[in-house]
Amino acid sequence: MAGLADHARNTPDKPALIFGDGGFVETYLELETRSRRIAGWLRNRGLRQGDCVAILIGNSPVLFDVYWATQRAGLYLTPLNWHSTAEELAFIIDNCDARMLIAEGALAALAGDAAGKVGGGLEYRIAIAGEIPGFASLDDELDRIPEDVALADERAGSVMIYSSGTTGRPKGIRRPLSGRSLDDPALVAATTLVMRTFGFTGGDTYLCPAPLYHAGPLRSCSAMQMLGATVVAMHRFDAETALRVIGERKVTVAQFVPTHFKRMLELPE
């Protein structure tokens, strides 16, 4: 089975990601190039297989570049819920043993406050898509990494999600790393199993209307990209916009919760 690098070679101009109302489109070749470049930078920073990176990024296209970079560099990725308080975020950053926090400029105040409450394990504070006081700029850091950077010994990473339905503090779910290459056919098959069970293929266009810090939306989007499908992601859910995007982008697959359906059904005819 094909993986991300194969899609970049075989269908380089196919959209891997369409964001918002179509103002941002990223092809499979662009996603491959950007994620590989960030992965090379992570390696240069000294992060090694099994280390953890925490991200505080809203529904933004840069999230997918960072996601795939960590996954091809053999790292754990912990997405942070930007609705949380700084104290709650600091606990998770400490608890997952994050060596690096990558935060979006739009969340500068929350990121700075949370980083200030973290213990001594956090070595790197990095800003993406904007500036954050006290954080290094990822754009500036990448100036030293060539676009054709080669990654030796790529190994698949994993996502370390924190539970929200338990009592007390959130609890991290840390699965053992497979040790396989990200494009290993067996790993691709396992990653896309649920999607293929439902009959989804690389020919689908998948709509994600939900927050990407949740396990379901993030894993579904990444699995669809592993299949070679096009992911259409919304900045935030709006019932009328969702219906319009389904029509304009010819969406074939979507993931909704009951509240989404309720809001769409409440729209006037």
Side-chain angles (χ1 to χ4, degrees):
M1 295 191 67
L4 193 67
D6 295 305
H7 300 317
R9 284 190 295 268
N10 300 330
T11 54
D13 298 325
K14 181 177 182 178
L17 176 66
I18 300 174
F19 223 88
D21 289 346
F24 177 91
V25 178
E26 185 173 45
T27 67
Y28 269 99
L29 179 58
E30 289 170 335
L31 179 58
E32 160 75 10
T33 301
R34 291 170 184 167
S35 64
R36 186 178 65 246
R37 196 177 184 196
I38 295 174
W41 167 77
L42 289 168
R43 289 271 183 87
N44 283 357
R45 276 288 194 167
L47 273 71
R48 295 293 178 259
Q49 185 173 351
D51 286 339
C52 184
V53 174
I55 59 168
L56 182 62
I57 300 175
N59 272 30
S60 167
V62 298
L63 185 148
F64 288 91
D65 295 336
V66 175
Y67 171 85
W68 285 113
T70 59
Q71 298 312 287
R72 68 192 310 163
L75 304 175
Y76 285 100
L77 179 72
T78 295
L80 301 171
N81 182 340
W82 41 270
H83 289 105
S84 301
T85 66
E87 290 77 10
E88 291 168 336
L89 295 179
F91 167 78
I92 292 176
I93 294 169
D94 273 330
N95 188 259
C96 71
D97 295 325
R99 292 185 61 191
M100 177 181 289
L101 169 63
I102 300 178
E104 186 180 12
L107 300 169
L110 180 60
D113 196 5
K117 299 179 186 299
V118 173
L122 185 64
E123 299 174 50
Y124 306 109
R125 295 165 172 80
I126 307 295
I128 190 170
E131 298 180 356
I132 302 177
F135 283 55
S137 167
L138 181 58
D139 289 337
D140 292 343
E141 297 271 327
L142 289 179
D143 285 343
R144 298 189 289 272
I145 306 296
E147 288 194 1
D148 60 350
V149 60
L151 286 178
D153 191 32
E154 286 194 43
R155 289 292 180 266
S158 184
V159 178
M160 185 177 177
I161 295 288
Y162 273 72
S163 64
S164 58
T166 55
T167 57
R169 295 282 199 179
K171 297 170 179 61
I173 303 164
R174 188 181 181 100
R175 294 181 172 87
L177 297 179
S178 69
R180 296 177 181 269
S181 165
L182 185 64
D183 290 325
D184 184 294
L187 183 61
V188 174
T191 303
T192 59
L193 176 62
V194 173
M195 297 305 176
R196 290 184 290 109
T197 299
F198 282 104
F200 304 157
T201 72
D204 280 306
T205 298
Y206 171 81
L207 175 65
C208 175
L212 288 163
Y213 55 72
H214 278 303
L218 182 58
R219 291 186 185 279
S220 296
C221 286
S222 61
M224 292 303 286
Q225 287 177 332
M226 284 289 264
L227 282 174
T230 295
V231 170
V232 180
M234 299 178 66
H235 290 289
R236 58 180 295 275
F237 177 75
D238 173 79
E240 188 172 348
T241 301
L243 292 178
R244 177 167 53 79
V245 168
I246 289 171
E248 290 178 353
R249 301 296 167 190
K250 297 180 172 56
V251 169
T252 57
V253 178
Q255 183 182 55
F256 294 112
V257 297
T259 302
H260 291 148
F261 286 117
K262 183 175 185 297
R263 292 178 182 175
M264 287 188 285
L265 290 169
E266 287 175 346
L267 291 171
E269 286 296 321

